[in-house]
Amino acid sequence: MTPPPEIRVPDAAGPHCNNRLFEWGMAVSSFLFGLLVTFSPGSLASSDFAPILDVISPRVIAAICTVTGGMWSISLWCNGRWPWSGPLVRSAGAIMGAVILVSIDVALLRQSYEAGRPISPGTSFFSVFAIVSLIAARRAAADVRNTI
């Protein structure tokens, strides 16, 4: 009896996606969040993110998230193609992503404090996502150092 043939899944992701799933997820979610705020600016005012509007307008939030998510996606694609500038741009995208996540986290904590409500469960997720984004930025910076 012959053994069944081995099934191999090709690595179609290539060098620009290899080991970057979290970063791709954050980049796309940032881009989609920006689009959501662009087409439905009232969605922030009616959510736990409302305190962000005390500091920044929905239009600016939409622009920051859309541009950051789009540029982060481009940098991830470039990462595998441009050995020096790709990781550098990827690191900048990860840092901007972390800034957005910390801003969301602070807004959620501020609203909990001001409204006298329990802390939103989302703060734990956004905190971890921000930390992991900073780790991704460090990894990208290490890639730049390895190519110099």
Side-chain angles (χ1 to χ4, degrees), residues 45-133:
S46 62
S47 72
D48 284 346
F49 300 118
I52 294 174
L53 300 176
D54 294 341
V55 180
I56 192 167
S57 74
R59 178 180 286 162
V60 174
I61 292 170
I64 289 171
C65 290
T66 305
V67 169
T68 299
M71 293 305 293
W72 199 356
S73 297
I74 290 168
S75 72
L76 284 165
W77 182 83
C78 292
N79 183 65
R81 300 195 183 277
W82 302 335
W84 187 81
S85 59
L88 190 64
V89 176
R90 185 177 129 231
S91 182
I95 290 170
M96 286 300 297
V99 168
I100 290 170
L101 292 164
V102 167
S103 300
I104 292 170
D105 215 11
V106 167
L108 289 173
L109 288 170
R110 181 178 164 201
Q111 184 183 32
S112 297
Y113 175 74
E114 288 178 355
R117 297 186 333 189
I119 295 174
S120 169
T123 57
S124 60
F125 291 101
F126 290 115
S127 297
V128 170
F129 291 161
I131 290 167
V132 174
S133 291

